[in-house]
Amino acid sequence: MEREEYIHFTRVLHHISAKVNSTGNFRPITISFQRHFSRQATVIDALKTPRQDRLSSVLHSLQPTHFAQMAGALLGGAALGVVFDKLFKVVVDVGINIATFRSKFLSLEQTLLHIEPVFADIEKLNKALDGREEETEMFKKKLMEGEELVLKCSKIKRYDAFKRCNYSRKLTKLENSLVKFCQIHGLIQVCRDSKLILVKVNDNGKKLDELRSMVKGLSLSRSSIGFTNSIGSSGWMNGSSFGSSNGFSGWSDVPPVPDSVVGFQVPLQELKLKLLQQKDQVLVLSAPPGCGKTTLAAMVCQEEDIKAKYKDIFFVTVTKTLNIKRIVGEIFEKKACKVPEFSTEHDAIRQLNNLLRSTSQPVLLVLDDVWSESDFIIENLIFQLPEFKILVTSRFVFPRFDTYKLKLLSEKDAKALFCTSAFKDSSPNVRLDLVDKVVRSCGGFPLALKVVGRSLCGQPEGIWFDRVMKQSKRRILFPTENDLLRTLQSSIDALDEKVLYSRETSTLRDCYLDLGSFPEDQRIHPAALLDMWVERYNLDEDGMKAMTIFLELSSQNLVNVAFARQDAPAVLGLHNLHYVQQHDMLRELVIHQCDEKPKPMEERMRMYINIKENFFPGWWFEQRLQPLQAEVLSIITDEKFSFDWSECDMQFPKVEVLVLNFETRTYNVPPFVEQMSQLKTLVVTNNSFFPATLNNVQLCSLLNLKRINLERISVTSIFTANLQLPNLRKISLIMCEIGDAFENSAAKIPHMWPKLVEMNIEHCNDLVEVPAEICDLVHLKMLSICYCHELVALPEELGKLTNLKVLRLHSCTKLVELPESIVKLNKLEFLDVYDCVELDNLPMEMDQLCSLQTVCMGSRLGFSELPNSVLKLVKLEDVVCDEETASLWESFKKYLRNLRITVIKEDINLNLLHKSLFI
């Protein structure tokens, strides 16, 4: 049998077993079984036997040789594979016959199928290195222990509750240990042995081709176990929470395709044909902005025949501000390799060439949003490799390369797309002539059709008529970008009608304009925007109102939001949101509005300054002696920026929000920041691949500073400065290098930030232990430490945080236990230990957490039971968990009347276990 057929075969058997135990209705199953497995005549005959003997006949008709033959076909009959074969066979066989542990066996079966390529690779490398039998013995021992455990489980009686719980826990630990064994020991072996192979290649050139063909067979190439640690230029933003990527992340980082795509059937086939048959290495997909170039390119990458031909697909956004090192670095990350330090752009291209040559498989490189002045990047990335192609999307035409010009939508397709956004059931409920006029005003641009349509959704006919009248003063069809911007303008203006409940003078439009503070195509961490909006518009700190704003902007097609889980309950709020992203054309519209004349520069409320190399805007030095009235200031610099800020004496007395984006290894904070007496929120983002050092951090005079958000920053560099901030309420450290910052700081945290109420630490992979002094922050209400995969312990003093309401430890995969003092947190309302895979119990005195309302737990936890004390959690309302954990809570549901159990579907992918080695 083929691999897919075999997997389906075992699933059908499980399905039969479940049906027999419940209904005994075999006819639909018989038909399905005959359709897929007509060769198994003995099985079909068994299905026709009397009801009471049907199940046993079916199972006994499947002789062990069937499983051995099928599994042998999968594993190739290797020495190590024989041991693996025996474990796999007994898991399937016992899983079918024994109902007691069926869900455990199903999970273990899938895990074994996923990690099988790891064992195959290890054996290949051992043969290549003249045998390392002593190392494979470790694997064999682990597998044989598993086989023995499964056989013991087959003898457990259903009525023996104690043994069922005990062995259920052992099965979970077996599965976790197999994955961890491959993740650590096995994959380190692969990396070590691969390097040894390369050494042999260098020593003996005659064997080069032979060894390359062997390395080529390695299958460890893409994904992660249940979550992703880092991908893309900012690393955190593709991390998958609750065990699923939901289309926003993937090893090649291909963007998701919207649900409503109209008019792309023909372009998709034509573009695909060019990629599959054309000999030219470069193909340019050209169209004006807002036509759907990125969407079409993403659709092509997700076509099955494209994925079949190109084993490696890299999707990289170039943007107007070109950075070759960043582009190459992203490809290294997507290839799950540690990003090297590139001395020059030429060195970056050279190392990329070497990387792609080492893969020896077809590659499709998509360069999205290439500008005319960046055409040289295409030339530099044309490598003389077999089956290597570059697909470029651009609003410009490059005459040197073959170009496919994407046309605007026809009037019929344009109307169809517009109606999907403007009307709930796609059927117009206003005058058709108004619909036709609005559609024509959008000129066949998909972006305009979706944004304008969504802004008119649910509006009365009078609003439609007013929109048409305003549009009639302009050209109906617009060939230029400015015309497109003017058409989109009305949708942005419509946001003015939606007032924020927290401040009547502020609207949804104000929130949207704040997105211009961040660079083009950047995935924005929601915490950064929350920090801005809490201080500017008095939003609640819990993020629920901010979540509503994100959903509203998304519903208007003005931003893209990436959820950790589409099926997660609303109670998770902002915790379920990975990032927010804005279309580059819509960002240009925001910048255009903020720069709108005739308002003089010194009177503008928002200032977004993009400095390329050391070239400042013309007005910069003219305003040196005159105070500027901006309340939001964003300064974006690139990797070549080296200007000495001390030569710049600017005055920003009213700035409340400062956003600094840079790409250098060291960054000098501008001295004029120290004079921003009204500064409330500081967001500092390093967009390079390595933690940056901040210099000239003088913030102690900023008595109004309440929120600091740092990304990819060396925390040690700022802790050496004087950070006495008496009114600081929140600090976020995202992908930061913490090192020994807490231990060696000039002053202790409680003394520096006496009013801190929230601390957020994410993806800080050098955080091993949380310093005990954090537990002296007596006002702390929210402590979030997530995706810190090296964290092993929390301080026992955690119970001193008596005001703590939220504790998030999501995906701290090495955290073994919770400190006993956690039960002293009698104000704790939200506890998240989801994906803490080493955690196998909850405190016995859980009932002391008398305010607990929400618990998130699950995804491969080793829990076999819950403490009986959870019965006294009378305020508990929501448990968000996986299917296995849900079964533990079900027995308590009748005692906890307000309890809602939300099951999160698991999506475990082990094809790329080795990725975590490089993060």
Side-chain angles (χ1 to χ4, degrees):
M1 283 187 181
E2 295 295 330
R3 181 188 185 96
E4 294 77 7
E5 189 178 0
Y6 173 67
I7 295 172
H8 184 55
F9 182 70
T10 59
R11 289 175 178 168
V12 171
L13 290 177
H14 287 299
H15 181 59
I16 292 173
S17 178
K19 285 290 185 182
V20 170
N21 286 333
S22 58
T23 64
N25 183 6
F26 278 89
R27 179 168 180 78
I29 305 174
T30 305
I31 295 172
S32 174
F33 215 72
Q34 287 174 331
R35 182 182 302 118
H36 292 289
F37 306 110
S38 57
R39 287 175 292 173
Q40 298 289 338
T42 54
V43 176
I44 303 304
D45 292 338
L47 289 172
K48 301 175 183 177
T49 60
R51 175 180 174 181
Q52 61 269 28
D53 298 325
R54 287 171 181 169
L55 178 60
S56 59
S57 298
V58 170
L59 299 177
H60 287 298
S61 69
L62 297 173
Q63 299 299 321
T65 53
H66 293 154
F67 291 106
Q69 291 169 0
M70 289 183 284
L74 293 177
L75 304 171
L80 182 59
V82 171
V83 183
F84 189 93
D85 173 11
K86 292 179 66 178
L87 174 59
F88 185 78
K89 183 239 178 212
V90 76
V91 168
V92 175
D93 202 5
V94 174
I96 293 173
N97 285 280
I98 306 299
T100 308
F101 303 102
R102 181 160 294 131
S103 61
K104 292 287 184 182
F105 288 138
L106 277 171
S107 177
L108 182 57
E109 175 190 332
Q110 290 301 310
T111 298
L112 289 171
L113 284 172
H114 282 301
I115 67 176
E116 180 269 329
V118 179
F119 291 93
D121 287 341
I122 290 171
E123 194 150 55
K124 287 181 185 178
L125 289 170
N126 286 339
K127 289 180 180 179
L129 295 170
D130 300 323
R132 292 179 177 272
E133 294 301 325
E134 69 278 4
E135 292 178 350
T136 57
E137 287 300 321
M138 294 188 299
F139 292 96
K140 291 178 183 178
K141 183 179 178 182
K142 181 70 64 175
L143 295 172
M144 288 187 289
E145 289 174 356
E147 181 187 359
E148 181 181 355
L149 174 61
V150 173
L151 290 173
K152 287 181 179 180
C153 289
S154 66
K155 301 176 182 178
I156 305 299
K157 306 299 182 182
R158 296 193 67 175
Y159 57 78
D160 194 337
F162 177 78
K163 285 189 176 181
R164 279 195 293 112
C165 289
N166 187 30
Y167 277 89
S168 177
R169 183 173 178 177
K170 288 182 178 181
L171 284 172
T172 299
K173 286 187 173 293
L174 168 64
E175 185 176 359
N176 289 341
S177 67
L178 284 173
V179 173
K180 186 174 180 181
F181 197 79
C182 294
Q183 196 173 22
I184 298 175
H185 300 285
L187 294 171
I188 289 176
Q189 271 193 33
V190 172
C191 294
R192 189 274 319 278
D193 291 346
S194 298
K195 292 183 180 295
L196 288 176
I197 290 176
L198 292 177
V199 170
K200 289 191 175 187
V201 169
N202 292 331
D203 291 342
N204 192 347
K206 294 181 180 181
K207 297 183 179 180
L208 180 61
D209 293 335
E210 179 182 352
L211 289 172
R212 275 183 177 171
S213 64
M214 189 176 342
V215 175
K216 179 181 177 181
L218 292 177
S219 61
L220 297 170
S221 59
R222 19 181 204 279
S223 185
S224 65
I225 174 167
F227 50 81
T228 48
N229 299 333
S230 162
I231 229 174
S233 60
S234 295
W236 61 266
M237 67 279 283
N238 280 337
S240 177
S241 176
F242 297 113
S244 175
S245 59
N246 286 301
F248 281 93
S249 64
W251 71 273
S252 59
D253 211 23
V254 176
V257 176
D259 294 331
S260 55
V261 177
V262 178
F264 277 9
Q265 293 83 357
V266 173
L268 175 63
Q269 296 304 318
E270 293 177 345
L271 190 64
K272 184 171 67 172
L273 191 63
K274 281 180 171 287
L275 285 174
L276 292 174
Q277 297 183 355
Q278 182 175 285
K279 293 184 179 181
D280 294 337
Q281 276 194 291
V282 179
L283 175 62
V284 178
L285 171 58
S286 179
C291 281
K293 299 183 295 296
T294 301
T295 297
L296 180 57
M299 291 174 68
V300 168
C301 292
Q302 294 178 14
E303 288 288 291
E304 290 301 324
D305 38 3
I306 291 292
K307 291 191 291 185
K309 178 173 182 179
Y310 298 103
K311 303 304 180 183
D312 279 337
I313 302 177
F314 303 109
F315 202 108
V316 182
T317 303
V318 177
T319 75
K320 188 174 184 179
T321 306
L322 178 66
N323 185 332
I324 293 179
K325 293 181 182 179
R326 178 186 60 80
I327 292 171
V328 174
E330 284 190 26
I331 297 174
F332 267 82
E333 276 196 346
K334 297 171 198 297
K335 191 62 179 172
C337 297
K338 186 175 181 180
V339 180
E341 293 196 39
F342 307 119
S343 56
T344 62
E345 292 182 349
H346 178 74
D347 178 53
I349 293 172
R350 180 185 60 80
Q351 294 203 46
L352 175 60
N353 189 5
N354 293 338
L355 174 69
L356 298 181
R357 286 184 183 278
S358 67
T359 64
S360 301
Q361 56 187 6
V363 175
L364 175 61
L365 172 60
V366 182
L367 299 177
D368 187 37
D369 194 20
V370 178
W371 286 65
S372 58
E373 58 266 31
S374 303
D375 59 342
F376 67 93
I377 184 64
I378 306 173
E379 295 281 3
N380 289 331
L381 292 179
I382 298 178
F383 302 130
Q384 299 306 312
L385 302 173
E387 299 296 338
F388 174 72
K389 282 201 175 180
I390 301 176
L391 175 61
V392 176
T393 74
S394 178
R395 61 184 69 180
F396 305 97
V397 174
F398 301 97
R400 298 192 304 279
F401 306 117
D402 183 34
T403 300
Y404 179 86
K405 291 187 178 181
L406 179 61
K407 299 177 181 178
L408 298 176
L409 295 180
S410 67
E411 188 169 343
K412 178 182 177 181
D413 288 335
K415 187 173 181 178
L417 179 60
F418 176 81
C419 288
T420 61
S421 295
F423 307 107
K424 293 182 179 179
D425 58 356
S426 299
S427 299
N429 55 10
V430 298
R431 285 164 40 190
L432 292 180
D433 63 317
L434 292 178
V435 175
D436 292 337
K437 288 179 180 179
V438 174
V439 169
R440 284 198 299 272
S441 74
C442 294
F445 284 80
L447 176 63
L449 289 161
K450 293 177 68 176
V451 172
V452 174
R454 184 59 66 184
S455 69
L456 287 171
C457 183
Q459 297 294 338
E461 211 168 74
I463 298 295
W464 284 71
F465 183 79
D466 182 64
R467 185 70 64 87
V468 169
M469 290 300 294
K470 289 180 179 179
Q471 192 63 38
S472 65
K473 298 177 182 179
R474 309 165 185 161
R475 296 176 60 187
I476 295 299
L477 297 179
F478 44 91
T480 68
E481 290 182 26
N482 288 335
D483 292 323
L484 174 58
L485 289 173
R486 283 195 295 269
T487 296
L488 295 172
Q489 177 71 52
S490 58
S491 299
I492 307 300
D493 292 341
L495 297 177
D496 264 333
E497 301 168 7
K498 302 188 178 183
V499 178
L500 300 183
Y501 81 100
S502 55
R503 181 182 289 182
E504 293 185 358
T505 57
S506 301
T507 66
L508 195 60
R509 178 176 178 273
D510 293 307
C511 294
Y512 187 68
L513 294 180
D514 289 336
L515 268 68
S517 305
F518 300 89
E520 176 188 0
D521 291 312
Q522 177 172 315
R523 292 171 176 177
I524 308 167
H525 198 295
L529 289 167
L530 175 63
D531 291 340
M532 297 172 66
W533 294 343
V534 166
E535 297 302 329
R536 282 185 56 74
Y537 311 124
N538 296 326
L539 264 62
D540 296 334
E541 293 181 326
D542 61 10
M544 298 305 289
K545 179 58 181 177
M547 189 67 177
T548 303
I549 293 173
F550 290 132
L551 293 175
E552 180 68 27
L553 294 175
S554 176
S555 71
Q556 301 287 327
N557 287 316
L558 295 173
V559 297
N560 293 325
V561 293
F563 293 105
R565 291 292 310 205
Q566 297 289 349
D567 55 353
V571 69
L572 295 183
L574 214 59
H575 302 319
N576 189 42
L577 186 60
H578 270 321
Y579 64 82
V580 180
Q581 193 172 26
Q582 187 180 31
H583 191 283
D584 56 354
M585 197 66 199
L586 291 171
R587 182 180 183 273
E588 287 183 32
L589 177 57
V590 169
I591 302 299
H592 175 73
Q593 289 206 318
C594 295
D595 290 345
E596 194 171 2
K597 298 178 181 180
K599 221 173 194 179
M601 186 61 62
E602 62 272 12
E603 295 181 11
R604 296 180 184 178
M605 182 180 297
R606 293 177 179 82
M607 298 185 70
Y608 302 146
I609 305 167
N610 195 342
I611 304 173
K612 189 173 183 180
E613 298 184 9
N614 292 317
F615 297 102
F616 285 74
W619 57 264
W620 180 269
F621 295 102
E622 298 174 4
Q623 301 288 336
R624 292 180 62 178
L625 302 178
Q626 187 171 358
L628 299 167
Q629 304 304 307
E631 296 179 5
V632 177
L633 174 63
S634 170
I635 301 177
I636 302 172
T637 57
D638 60 17
E639 63 169 353
K640 296 182 179 179
F641 179 78
S642 59
F643 183 78
D644 185 359
W645 286 113
S646 62
E647 301 177 12
C648 179
D649 187 20
M650 301 294 288
Q651 300 179 51
F652 297 95
K654 292 189 177 182
V655 165
E656 296 180 352
V657 175
L658 174 62
V659 181
L660 301 174
N661 281 273
F662 60 91
E663 298 184 29
T664 51
R665 292 294 296 269
T666 60
Y667 184 80
N668 295 322
V669 178
F672 53 74
V673 173
E674 190 177 358
Q675 308 302 319
M676 294 180 177
S677 59
Q678 300 301 311
L679 185 63
K680 298 178 181 178
T681 300
L682 173 63
V683 179
V684 182
T685 302
N686 164 28
N687 291 315
S688 71
F689 292 97
F690 308 98
T693 299
L694 294 184
N695 297 325
N696 192 38
V697 184
Q698 303 295 330
L699 306 178
C700 59
S701 62
L702 305 178
L703 300 181
N704 288 307
L705 185 59
K706 297 179 180 178
R707 297 172 180 275
I708 297 178
N709 189 298
L710 304 177
E711 186 175 330
R712 280 193 186 271
I713 303 297
S714 172
V715 180
T716 304
S717 67
I718 66 169
F719 270 51
T720 55
N722 185 357
L723 282 182
Q724 302 290 326
L725 301 170
N727 295 310
L728 188 69
R729 291 181 59 83
K730 176 184 176 183
I731 185 164
S732 296
L733 306 175
I734 301 168
M735 293 195 71
C736 288
E737 183 181 73
I738 293 180
D740 55 0
F742 293 118
E743 289 78 7
N744 296 337
S745 59
K748 297 301 181 181
I749 295 177
H751 178 67
M752 292 191 299
W753 310 324
K755 295 184 180 180
L756 197 71
V757 296
E758 183 175 354
M759 175 174 282
N760 180 26
I761 302 175
E762 293 185 21
H763 292 281
C764 296
N765 285 342
D766 64 339
L767 180 65
V768 178
E769 293 186 7
V770 176
E773 65 181 89
I774 285 181
C775 301
D776 293 325
L777 293 166
V778 294
H779 298 290
L780 202 65
K781 294 182 180 179
M782 300 176 67
L783 177 60
S784 179
I785 306 175
C786 301
Y787 305 102
C788 296
H789 301 303
E790 297 301 318
L791 179 67
V792 297
L794 296 173
E796 184 56 42
E797 296 87 345
L798 189 69
K800 295 166 62 176
L801 297 173
T802 55
N803 289 304
L804 199 66
K805 292 185 177 181
V806 175
L807 177 60
R808 298 187 66 237
L809 303 168
H810 192 102
S811 200
C812 292
T813 54
K814 291 187 178 180
L815 185 64
V816 177
E817 63 180 359
L818 300 175
E820 293 182 4
S821 65
I822 192 176
V823 298
K824 298 179 181 179
L825 305 177
N826 53 27
K827 292 184 180 180
L828 191 68
E829 299 175 358
F830 188 106
L831 175 63
D832 182 359
V833 292
Y834 209 99
D835 266 334
C836 294
V837 296
E838 292 294 328
L839 196 65
D840 57 8
N841 64 75
L842 290 176
M844 296 302 295
E845 300 175 343
M846 282 287 290
D847 57 310
Q848 294 189 34
L849 298 175
C850 54
S851 299
L852 196 61
Q853 298 175 13
T854 304
V855 174
C856 300
M857 57 186 292
S859 186
R860 310 178 66 81
L861 296 181
F863 286 35
S864 61
E865 60 182 353
L866 297 173
N868 289 329
S869 57
V870 301
L871 285 170
K872 299 180 181 180
L873 297 175
V874 294
K875 292 187 178 181
L876 187 63
E877 297 179 353
D878 290 282
V879 171
V880 182
C881 59
D882 60 2
E883 187 174 357
E884 291 287 341
T885 310
S887 64
L888 300 178
W889 282 97
E890 283 294 341
S891 59
F892 296 96
K893 195 172 182 180
K894 57 183 177 181
Y895 304 104
L896 302 171
R897 297 182 179 179
N898 297 322
L899 181 62
R900 293 183 297 269
I901 300 176
T902 303
V903 176
I904 299 293
K905 294 180 181 179
E906 296 303 319
D907 183 19
I908 299 173
N909 190 340
L910 303 179
N911 293 334
L912 204 194
L913 287 168
H914 74 305
K915 184 173 185 177
S916 60
L917 293 175
F918 304 105
I919 304 303

